[in-house]
Amino acid sequence: TMLSRRAAVAREPGQSQPTIYKDIRDLTRARRKLVRDQTAASNRVHAHVDRLFPGFLDSKKSGITAFGPASLHLMKEKFSAPQIARRKPSSLTNTLHSLRVHHPDEVAAQLIRLAQSALPPDPSRINAQQRTLSACVNLYETYERTSLEMRNEAAALLASTPYAFLTSLPGISFVLAAGIAGELG
């Protein structure tokens, strides 16, 4: 901690509990709430995707990892079974390649076949459902990014406490060790 210049004052004068443990506790509690909200957002995304393109979030059917960079990118704009089915395989392959999908040409062909065989959504409701899905995906990504930032900040604080040694035990990550440190002080 001293070498990487992350040392922090462990206890302010006159305080019963060190400030760093209060900060860790606040961060881990806030992160826990964000993760709960992220799960709720992913459930809403599932509901909208099932209406627009059934089977898309099943990686065995679509070939794309659910809530990975490729699936999140595809769900943001013009996402429905008929619209994916109409895409040019080369264009979809290029998109998947840029998002680092393994074997993008095979995955693109698999996606187009799945889209062609999927039950199409109600055409009169596609636009509203697409906008709602896009908003839910943006919300999910915000929760994901923010919870990761809070996790990293709690881990950095944890590194300057004796509780950092908990992470050397098998099965104990920074999240659990920070939670224990924050609650026990």
Side-chain angles (χ1 to χ4, degrees):
T1 300
M2 295 298 286
L3 290 176
S4 63
R5 297 183 180 146
R6 286 196 222 149
V9 176
R11 184 184 303 247
E12 294 291 332
Q15 285 187 333
S16 60
Q17 187 179 17
T19 305
I20 195 165
Y21 294 114
K22 289 179 182 177
D23 292 344
I24 292 172
R25 183 188 63 214
D26 292 343
L27 283 170
T28 56
R29 286 180 180 178
R31 183 187 174 279
R32 191 176 310 125
K33 290 176 185 174
L34 282 173
V35 170
R36 193 176 308 128
D37 292 341
Q38 180 183 352
T39 303
S42 72
N43 290 339
R44 286 191 294 273
V45 168
H46 267 281
H48 292 295
V49 168
D50 285 343
R51 290 184 201 121
L52 290 167
F53 187 173
F56 176 76
L57 289 175
D58 184 356
S59 61
K60 292 178 184 174
K61 292 181 181 179
S62 67
I64 293 182
T65 304
F67 295 96
S71 69
L72 291 172
H73 177 79
L74 289 174
M75 289 187 288
K76 281 186 182 179
E77 288 183 28
K78 298 181 182 177
F79 178 80
S80 70
Q83 289 169 327
I84 297 289
R86 285 193 303 262
R87 285 197 179 177
K88 292 180 181 177
S90 60
S91 171
L92 189 54
T93 299
N94 290 338
T95 301
L96 294 175
H97 179 70
S98 69
L99 295 166
R100 299 182 180 168
V101 173
H102 295 293
H103 310 292
D105 48 348
E106 295 171 12
V107 173
Q110 186 176 353
L111 260 177
I112 291 172
R113 279 193 307 273
L114 179 64
Q116 290 169 343
S117 66
L119 182 66
D122 180 8
S124 64
R125 299 185 65 207
I126 289 178
N127 288 335
Q129 288 178 355
Q130 285 175 339
R131 277 188 249 122
T132 306
L133 174 63
S134 180
C136 288
V137 168
N138 288 333
L139 185 63
Y140 174 85
E141 288 177 326
T142 301
Y143 282 134
E144 184 178 44
R145 185 180 60 255
T146 306
S147 67
L148 180 63
E149 290 169 2
M150 292 180 113
R151 175 188 170 272
N152 292 342
E153 191 173 338
L157 289 173
L158 179 71
S160 63
T161 69
Y163 284 101
F165 287 108
L166 286 175
T167 59
S168 66
L169 299 172
I172 299 194
S173 66
F174 286 111
V175 174
L176 181 58
I180 291 170
E183 297 302 329
L184 295 180

